[in-house]
Amino acid sequence: MNDVERIGVADLFRIGIGPSSSHTVGPMFAAKRFAARLAERDVIDQVALLRVDLYGSLAATGRGHGTLSAVLMGLEGRAPETLDLAERDHRLAQIAGGDLLLLNGSHAVAFAADDIVMHPFTRLPGHANGMCFAAEDANGHTLLRLVGYSIGGGAVQWEDSREAGVTTGAESTQDDRGNRDRIHTPNDRYDFHSGAQLLAMCEGGASVSGAMRRLENARGTADVELDERIDRALGVMRDCVESGFSATGVLPGGLNVPRRAAQVRQQLEAAGGYTRELETEWLAAAAMAVSEQNAAGARVVTAPTNGAAGILPSVLFWLEHFSEVSAVELPERRRRLILAATAIGVLCRRRASISGAEVGCQGEVGSACAMAAGGLVDALGGTAEQVENAAEIAIEHHLGLTCDPVGGLVQIPCIERNAVAANTAVVAARLALRGDGSHRVTLDEVLDTMRRTGADMSEKYKETSRGGLAVSVVEC
Ligand code: SF4
């Protein structure tokens, strides 16, 4: 359990690129950090040899998840949030054609995708997504060696914190972008480590979104900065739905999966537009639009991961087109949705996991569904108890869900899974809003069950593509 880890809006809603937060965004951050450390130590000009090893799930499905390209781009000093996608493709073609890699954007060294060493059957002790970066000088002396883990949602944890210049745990943390966090302890009076604690904080009628805002404020993020961050993520999510609704063709990777969101949108518009009868299909279509963009390696927001990135934008789309919320109220309700979703995501990550490589798809799509359901209840004015109830319902019906993407690509079953989970989130929110928040199984109990179920799950079903659909479907 990551009980002392500081998690907030910036961690669960990262602007990045597809197709995978743990396999694309995290490794790119890690490689970028490694290159930056070489520069900070003033040894980058001495680098004659680079070595990158990927372990476990990163090696098993890394090719289909864009990990190799992400590592190359990170080593060149590029970040997922600002990466120009056309420039990326051009630069990768140049490196594949024999150009030297520009370490941290400056020091030329011979290194290409084929030099990355894969260890699919070796799991490092810290996590299923292990990475080792090493640089040597011309005499074979090691200048820097870092071992890190892509722990889900684009976050990276370093094993040798002193070597990385990073301290972890209750004292302080430093994220993969090199930003030092403020001192933070589990006793932080605004923090919560269980659903029960969150509910206790909201006693007297306070909202979950309000509790999350207070926590962010207590950590030093002022309201203006927080709202800007949320609005930026919301803007990228909206753009992603729109671009997914316009894009056509076949998704990359070799499975020949056609994009469908644009066609479904046209059909729904022709059938009457935003009518109540078409509500579930719109939810599915919006989720698919984002998931197809993610599969194509486009700009997306982790919510909380890339594989599950379609669910929250779809529920936000529902809030805009199908709820009673007025246009004037919409901006504030959207922010509430994101804040309450973050609070639920904090609990998912602390009490269980949001990593498919750690607990299977229940941790990705299950967590995203719970975040969307709880966030929607808050945005619609529900109580904290109803938020907790909605999140619990959403998780409960994803327990045991395995991760078995065909061909190691985030396409089958991922795209349709997002479509179905977006609908589940709205149903869970509606059910919770029909009640008074009292229910038999708590969110804490269901999250603890998810963690234990993930521990019991065979490694085959944790983003390795060695079981389930991945071995039942003929790829060509
Ligand atoms: S099956 Fe689920 S966890 Fe696995 S890659 Fe797809 S969305 Fe992610």
Side-chain angles (χ1 to χ4, degrees):
M1 227 187 292
N2 299 309
D3 211 26
V4 294
E5 194 182 8
R6 195 195 100 150
I7 312 164
V9 171
D11 308 280
L12 295 174
F13 293 93
R14 291 171 197 257
I15 298 170
I17 54 163
S20 168
S21 44
S22 58
H23 286 55
T24 319
V25 178
M28 192 184 302
F29 275 134
K32 177 176 160 56
R33 184 77 193 120
F34 173 72
R37 285 294 294 160
L38 286 165
E40 285 161 20
R41 291 180 164 215
D42 222 7
V43 294
I44 195 161
D45 291 340
Q46 299 170 42
V47 175
L49 187 81
L50 270 183
R51 186 177 163 101
V52 178
D53 293 84
L54 301 178
Y55 295 89
S57 170
L58 279 186
T61 56
R63 281 185 200 281
H65 284 56
T67 310
L68 309 190
S69 309
V71 166
L72 295 181
M73 290 295 94
L75 288 172
E76 287 213 330
R78 295 163 206 265
E81 184 166 352
T82 51
L83 185 71
D84 182 293
L85 303 180
E87 196 186 315
R88 169 196 63 184
D89 296 343
H90 176 65
R91 187 67 193 124
L92 287 171
Q94 284 182 324
I95 296 171
D99 274 18
L100 295 178
L101 183 101
L102 292 176
L103 196 54
N104 205 36
S106 59
H107 178 69
V109 59
F111 193 80
D114 286 347
D115 295 317
I116 299 173
V117 185
M118 311 290 244
H119 307 268
F121 299 103
T122 307
R123 188 194 196 278
L124 295 187
H127 192 276
N129 289 330
M131 302 168 277
C132 178
F133 299 89
E136 292 178 8
D137 65 16
N139 298 317
H141 294 131
T142 300
L143 298 166
L144 181 65
R145 181 177 180 278
L146 297 181
V147 175
Y149 301 103
S150 183
I151 59 170
V156 174
Q157 214 163 54
W158 296 103
E159 186 173 86
D160 187 343
S161 55
R162 281 164 303 157
E163 180 63 21
V166 176
T167 52
T168 56
E171 292 174 2
S172 68
T173 62
Q174 180 168 322
D175 72 14
D176 32 55
R177 286 163 290 185
N179 300 321
R180 180 162 290 283
D181 291 337
R182 291 161 189 84
I183 299 295
H184 166 64
T185 73
N187 297 324
D188 186 330
R189 63 186 278 236
Y190 294 104
D191 209 347
F192 44 87
H193 301 268
S194 67
Q197 257 181 330
L198 178 60
L199 287 178
M201 280 177 172
C202 295
E203 247 175 50
S207 67
V208 170
S209 54
M212 192 64 222
R213 185 178 283 280
R214 277 194 299 282
L215 176 56
E216 294 273 11
N217 291 160
R219 289 169 175 169
T221 309
D223 279 339
V224 174
E225 188 189 340
L226 181 61
D227 288 343
E228 276 174 8
R229 182 175 291 163
I230 293 171
D231 290 350
R232 206 161 48 241
L234 285 167
V236 176
M237 286 192 210
R238 250 196 324 271
D239 289 350
C240 197
V241 172
E242 272 316 302
S243 47
F245 269 150
S246 319
T248 54
V250 171
L251 293 170
L255 284 183
N256 291 321
V257 173
R259 286 176 178 263
R260 285 174 292 168
Q263 190 190 356
V264 175
R265 177 207 208 171
Q266 282 174 3
Q267 290 168 344
L268 295 177
E269 279 173 348
Y274 300 125
T275 64
R276 199 50 77 192
E277 300 75 55
L278 300 177
E279 178 185 352
T280 58
E281 288 173 79
W282 274 113
L283 269 164
M288 284 167 61
V290 173
S291 295
E292 288 173 1
Q293 285 297 90
N294 178 60
R299 174 94 52 233
V300 294
V301 180
T302 65
T305 64
N306 279 29
I311 298 160
L312 271 136
S314 169
V315 170
L316 284 156
F317 182 89
W318 182 91
L319 186 73
E320 181 175 349
H321 295 288
F322 292 98
S323 76
E324 310 274 298
V325 172
S326 71
V328 178
E329 291 175 307
L330 203 52
E332 190 46 35
R333 300 299 185 99
R334 284 193 186 111
R335 287 179 188 150
R336 283 181 62 168
L337 195 155
I338 294 293
L339 283 166
T342 301
I344 301 300
V346 166
L347 295 174
C348 292
R349 198 156 124 182
R350 282 184 170 157
R351 296 192 76 87
S353 171
I354 59 166
S355 166
E358 215 171 13
V359 297
C361 198
Q362 56 176 351
E364 291 207 17
V365 165
S367 296
C369 188
M371 289 167 65
L376 183 58
V377 168
D378 193 292
L380 294 176
T383 64
E385 287 77 11
Q386 289 169 322
V387 169
E388 190 257 3
N389 188 5
E392 179 275 320
I393 293 168
I395 286 274
E396 190 176 283
H397 303 291
H398 285 92
L399 286 176
L401 192 64
T402 59
C403 169
D404 52 359
V406 176
L409 298 163
V410 193
Q411 297 178 13
I412 304 171
C414 320
I415 295 170
E416 288 176 0
R417 191 164 285 177
N418 275 258
V420 174
N423 273 287
T424 303
V426 173
V427 171
R430 280 181 164 147
L431 270 177
L433 284 166
R434 291 272 174 213
D436 63 2
S438 50
H439 54 112
R440 181 68 184 78
V441 179
T442 66
L443 178 59
D444 291 335
E445 286 169 334
V446 89
L447 284 173
D448 292 348
T449 304
M450 179 161 91
R451 187 183 71 252
R452 284 195 299 269
T453 305
D456 290 342
M457 197 181 276
S458 163
E459 291 297 315
K460 282 194 296 191
Y461 301 113
K462 298 182 189 177
E463 218 163 349
T464 60
S465 287
R466 291 203 295 268
L469 269 183
V471 296
S472 303
V473 175
V474 180
E475 288 180 28
C476 56

